[in-house]
Amino acid sequence: MRFLLTAEQRDFARSLDAMLTAADTPATVRAWSAGDAGPGRALWSRIAEAGVFALAAPEEYEGLGPLPVELGLACVELGRHAVPGPLVETVAAAALLARLAELGQEGPAKRLLPAIVSGACAASVLFPGASPYALDADTADAVLVVSGKELRLAPGHGPVQRSADPARRLSRPLGGGELLAAGPELTRALVHATVLGRLAAAGQCLGVAEALLHRTVAYVKQRTQFGVPIGSFQAVKHRLADTLVAVEFARPLLYGAALTLAPGDVAAAKVTAGEAAYAAARTALQLHGAVGYTQELDLSLWLRKARPLRDAWGTPGECRARVLAG
């Protein structure tokens, strides 16, 4: 059995990293947080051209997938570059529509999936048992709401609420709307979409953790105290080493969950990656000192993302309970 990534998978991650590095994502995040979705939607189109959204959709709807391992790799890069927008929600929407089509309800997939794959349609979702708020409903082209045994297309949304992460723009979808699907097939498709959404969120968490650790290591190498870099102090080394262990422990769990797609494995990956991101945020904040609190420093873009992402798509308690349930 081979546990290493293939050359093609590594090349895909590297090409996505290079594209996002050149895209000035910090400026895009700040514009998105201020309500200017223009730069973010332009970046969204480039991400779609790279094939990210096609990874969650089958070939008959112009997708490439499902390819969960590649999807996990892509989400790590999206998290590492703090890309804003309903990325996980769009993945979950694609998974929901694709599974519904497999179960015999092809109409919603034929109507929405090709546009999702091409990047023309950014989707948000609201599933039962989650927060009452949908992410980025104000900029999404379609908001899919599952309530009871019905899937509806929300006709609009309420006011945008303040969030711990300004780039996570939350609002309540309006009730009613066009009925897209219903019945027991929807329940089965919802389970599958939740697993894919949780896997994508785990990938984003791992990417956020990597970015915070990388920036903190660079900072402690250049910040001096008593005439030496603060990174030379044993206490700082230990803190960074603990954070690195948390990140590297989460990585194989993410890849393993992508291979099995077992709900327990995905929940384990999500809770571990989420805790790694939160631990990396605390380490980054402590080692940057007072400058870490400032909004002007790009570090804040990842700091404010870590905790909401940890709690999205299953809180740590919910994920641990799912792991124990087997």
Side-chain angles (χ1 to χ4, degrees), residues 197-233:
R198 188 168 284 177
L199 179 75
Q204 269 198 319
C205 287
L206 183 58
V208 168
E210 286 182 352
L212 287 165
L213 180 60
H214 174 75
R215 287 172 176 270
T216 305
V217 169
Y219 180 74
V220 299
K221 285 181 178 177
Q222 57 92 16
R223 168 78 186 277
T224 59
Q225 199 168 37
F226 308 116
V228 296
I230 63 173
S232 64
F233 300 143

Side-chain angles (χ1 to χ4, degrees), residues 59-240:
E59 292 182 3
E60 52 265 43
Y61 299 102
E62 303 180 22
L64 300 170
L67 295 172
V69 174
E70 286 77 2
L71 181 63
L73 288 171
C75 288
V76 171
E77 296 304 324
L78 298 176
R80 204 151 64 83
H81 290 276
V83 175
L87 300 157
V88 173
E89 288 67 23
T90 296
V91 167
L96 179 69
L97 297 172
R99 183 53 59 96
L100 272 174
E102 288 178 16
L103 296 172
Q105 298 198 31
E106 295 182 340
K110 287 181 177 177
R111 175 176 168 184
L112 294 173
L113 258 184
I116 288 176
V117 170
S118 71
C121 176
S124 189
V125 297
L126 188 60
F127 289 171
S131 159
Y133 300 102
L135 179 66
D136 297 315
D138 59 323
T139 53
D141 303 291
V143 180
L144 306 181
V145 179
V146 178
S147 179
K149 292 185 178 180
E150 292 183 344
L151 170 64
R152 291 184 178 272
L153 193 61
H157 61 87
V160 175
Q161 306 292 317
R162 292 175 61 87
S163 169
D165 176 8
R168 293 179 66 83
R169 298 171 61 81
L170 306 174
S171 57
R172 290 177 182 268
L174 299 181
E178 180 185 350
L179 180 64
L180 294 179
E185 294 85 4
L186 177 60
T187 303
R188 294 165 60 188
L190 184 61
V191 172
H192 174 69
T194 300
V195 168
L196 263 292
R198 188 168 284 177
L199 179 75
Q204 269 198 319
C205 287
L206 183 58
V208 168
E210 286 182 352
L212 287 165
L213 180 60
H214 174 75
R215 287 172 176 270
T216 305
V217 169
Y219 180 74
V220 299
K221 285 181 178 177
Q222 57 92 16
R223 168 78 186 277
T224 59
Q225 199 168 37
F226 308 116
V228 296
I230 63 173
S232 64
F233 300 143
Q234 196 72 3
V236 173
K237 291 180 179 178
H238 282 175
R239 189 70 192 263
L240 291 169

Side-chain angles (χ1 to χ4, degrees), residues 204-320:
Q204 269 198 319
C205 287
L206 183 58
V208 168
E210 286 182 352
L212 287 165
L213 180 60
H214 174 75
R215 287 172 176 270
T216 305
V217 169
Y219 180 74
V220 299
K221 285 181 178 177
Q222 57 92 16
R223 168 78 186 277
T224 59
Q225 199 168 37
F226 308 116
V228 296
I230 63 173
S232 64
F233 300 143
Q234 196 72 3
V236 173
K237 291 180 179 178
H238 282 175
R239 189 70 192 263
L240 291 169
D242 289 343
T243 305
L244 177 62
V245 168
V247 171
E248 294 306 322
F249 185 65
R251 193 185 311 280
L253 291 182
L254 174 68
Y255 297 161
L259 284 173
T260 69
L261 288 185
D265 292 347
V266 175
K270 173 61 173 49
V271 69
T272 308
E275 295 291 13
Y278 189 49
R282 288 184 296 170
T283 298
L285 189 57
Q286 180 184 20
L287 298 187
H288 277 78
V291 70
Y293 286 95
T294 57
Q295 292 190 30
E296 291 78 9
L297 193 69
D298 285 348
L299 182 77
S300 67
L301 304 179
W302 286 268
L303 277 178
R304 302 179 77 168
K305 194 174 288 298
R307 185 163 183 171
L309 260 183
R310 184 195 67 168
D311 295 337
W313 291 91
T315 64
E318 291 168 343
C319 289
R320 288 190 177 97

